[in-house]
Amino acid sequence: MTRFVLPIAGSIVVILLAVMAWFAVEQSPQTQLHPSTAGAKGAPPAMTSDPSRLFLTQEQQREATPLQGFPVGLKSLLKVPARMQYGDYLWNDGGVPKGPIEVRVDLRTQILSVFRGGHEIGTAVVLYGADEKETPLGSFPILWKGKDHRSSLYDAPMPYTLRLTGDGVAIHGSDVRWGAATHGCVGVPKSFAAHLFAQAKVGDVVTIVRTTAPRS
């Protein structure tokens, strides 16, 4: 399991090919990739002037697929101006319609993204499971929420827990720092966890993937 990869800008997406994929750490920041997509045709009129977002064109929307855990009907991404480091996150749901959320976690880039109505509203650098306690891949509906949960197995606080599996794998607030890992859970910065906890509902789907690094 690759643990030395430094995470990067949470919303970096390659849409130049038919299938979208997250950039690896050595890639350029997102803002250099699609400088002309803001306000593109097909973006919601009420949101096209939002400078914090990159809007996908209609063609890019058609190319976007759920194969790598992206939601169907992806419309916009948060604009991340620089590489994200451990503990960093962004949250901006201004102007985004209400509705259920979808969460995507890429273990390779250590990036979690939250989508609502096809718009990315949050992104964060995460921790994941150590080799002997790997984080599972797949799609998981949120089974249970607990704001002040504490692990009975490890006697450790798990604030803002969103449980994903019957054996305790969850998204929860953590001290996200270099060199740290979890016992299979997805750890996110505590402030970000509070935002996610407030939005998420039991039954919302979390998709965990491990993408392949693009060829240089």
Side-chain angles (χ1 to χ4, degrees), residues 1-179:
M1 178 175 292
T2 303
R3 299 299 294 163
F4 60 86
V5 174
L6 289 178
I8 56 168
S11 304
I12 299 178
V13 175
V14 179
I15 320 176
L16 303 180
L17 303 176
V19 178
M20 302 178 64
W22 289 114
F23 255 177
V25 64
E26 63 272 14
Q27 301 296 125
S28 301
Q30 170 194 60
T31 50
Q32 298 176 18
L33 181 65
H34 297 301
S36 62
T37 54
K41 183 179 179 182
M47 297 177 61
T48 53
S49 61
D50 187 344
S52 68
R53 294 188 171 279
L54 295 174
F55 292 95
L56 279 63
T57 64
Q58 291 178 339
E59 181 180 357
Q60 290 168 339
Q61 290 179 36
R62 287 192 296 269
E63 291 174 350
T65 74
L67 293 178
Q68 295 294 329
F70 291 100
V72 176
L74 183 61
K75 298 179 179 68
S76 77
L77 303 167
L78 290 174
K79 188 181 294 183
V80 182
R83 296 172 185 266
M84 297 176 72
Q85 304 297 323
Y86 290 93
D88 289 350
Y89 73 89
L90 290 176
W91 189 277
N92 180 7
D93 61 353
V96 178
K98 300 295 184 182
I101 67 167
E102 297 176 68
V103 178
R104 177 189 187 273
V105 182
D106 187 345
L107 300 185
R108 179 180 66 83
T109 59
Q110 291 184 246
I111 293 294
L112 178 151
S113 286
V114 185
F115 300 92
R116 195 173 73 204
H119 300 281
E120 186 181 43
I121 62 173
T123 185
V125 180
V126 306
L127 302 177
Y128 61 96
D131 290 350
E132 65 277 9
K133 292 285 186 180
E134 294 190 359
T135 301
L137 304 179
S139 292
F140 307 91
I142 295 172
L143 302 177
W144 177 82
K145 297 175 59 176
K147 183 177 180 180
D148 299 307
H149 181 59
R150 189 175 187 89
S151 170
S152 58
L153 183 60
Y154 301 106
D155 190 28
M158 297 172 60
Y160 303 107
T161 287
L162 302 175
R163 179 170 290 174
L164 306 180
T165 69
D167 59 354
V169 173
I171 298 173
H172 61 78
S174 295
D175 178 13
V176 179
R177 52 188 170 79
W178 188 89

